[in-house]
Amino acid sequence: QVQLLESGGGLVQAGGSLRLSCTISGRAVSTYDMAWFRQAPGKEREFVAVQDRTGSFTYYADSVKGRFAISRDSAGNTIYLQMSSLRPEDTAVYYCAAGSPGAFVSTDSRYAYWGQGTQVTVSS
């Protein structure tokens, strides 16, 4: 049974930083492509970032490119999303997702496992 647990959300002022964590149990991070998505109130869930199972490929949504960075720990069971220069429009519930390696990395339907989400609120 694969489970994902996010942490690290909170309230931050615009321009600030936060680091989200996602710990996987049941399988190693190296088994899956690991992604972050977010959903703001009244909006559809949107892709944020992905790292492939080898850790050698990363891809970001244009809206976060240069501000957010996805990484993993050496132990192989946690991924991170370092968020900098946060903006009020980054306010959302952030979800961690795991999926079998493949194409269409920004499509949420290809990810079989999801965490419960962590709230990020950026005040202006």
Side-chain angles (χ1 to χ4, degrees), residues 17-20 36 67-71 80-84:
S17 299
L18 279 176
R19 189 177 78 161
L20 305 183
W36 289 94
R67 299 188 299 121
F68 291 10
I70 188 170
S71 63
Y80 304 100
L81 186 68
Q82 179 67 48
M83 305 186 295
S84 303

Side-chain angles (χ1 to χ4, degrees), residues 12-112:
V12 64
Q13 288 189 331
S17 299
L18 279 176
R19 189 177 78 161
L20 305 183
S21 300
C22 171
T23 300
I24 188 170
S25 59
R27 289 286 183 93
V29 166
S30 59
T31 305
Y32 301 107
D33 291 345
M34 300 294 298
W36 289 94
F37 286 77
R38 67 186 181 185
Q39 188 167 21
K43 295 187 177 181
E44 293 187 354
R45 186 164 56 191
E46 65 173 358
F47 168 78
V48 174
V50 64
Q51 187 174 73
D52 78 331
R53 69 177 187 89
T54 69
S56 61
F57 170 79
T58 58
Y59 178 69
Y60 298 92
D62 287 343
S63 59
V64 306
K65 201 172 296 182
R67 299 188 299 121
F68 291 10
I70 188 170
S71 63
R72 64 183 59 192
D73 73 340
S74 57
N77 62 357
T78 301
I79 66 164
Y80 304 100
L81 186 68
Q82 179 67 48
M83 305 186 295
S84 303
S85 302
L86 283 162
R87 305 166 180 168
E89 55 264 39
D90 294 318
T91 295
V93 177
Y94 283 71
Y95 298 91
C96 173
S100 297
F104 306 107
V105 295
S106 61
T107 304
D108 59 0
S109 60
R110 70 177 297 276
Y111 294 93

